[in-house]
Amino acid sequence: MDYDKKDPRMFDEVSAQKQMADAFSRDEPQSEVSLSEGFKLPSSNHSSRKIQTTYTIRPEIKQGIEKLASKQGFRSSSAFVDLVLEQVLNQSK
């Protein structure tokens, strides 16, 4: 049997276009993280062994992190993020 694009049993153009649009859509589901009432922003700077890691975030999130870190007395936003994520991970155990 030869491939015939016009035969709907072989190829559905509308369905294929929808599947391609869905596959390459930039819309990502927004998930929310629920923190316990005991969650507190860290306010001290602890020193321990660290590894360098890179994450991509939106500019407004980066600015917010930097403001919070400065407000909490941290010299670097990475130290602040490290302690915040540690608390989040501890809560999820």
Side-chain angles (χ1 to χ4, degrees), residues 31-68:
S31 60
E32 293 186 17
V33 174
S34 178
L35 301 174
S36 71
E37 290 189 25
F39 183 81
K40 305 259 190 244
L41 287 176
S43 59
S44 62
N45 197 353
H46 301 298
S47 180
S48 63
R49 184 178 172 276
K50 307 241 183 339
I51 60 169
Q52 186 172 3
T53 305
T54 303
Y55 291 96
T56 304
I57 58 173
R58 296 183 311 251
E60 60 269 19
I61 300 297
K62 183 177 186 286
Q63 291 169 352
I65 290 170
E66 289 171 349
K67 285 179 185 176
L68 275 174

Side-chain angles (χ1 to χ4, degrees), residues 4-13 15:
D4 182 6
K5 185 176 176 183
K6 296 185 189 222
D7 185 351
R9 296 174 296 165
M10 299 299 288
F11 188 82
D12 181 6
E13 183 78 29
S15 177

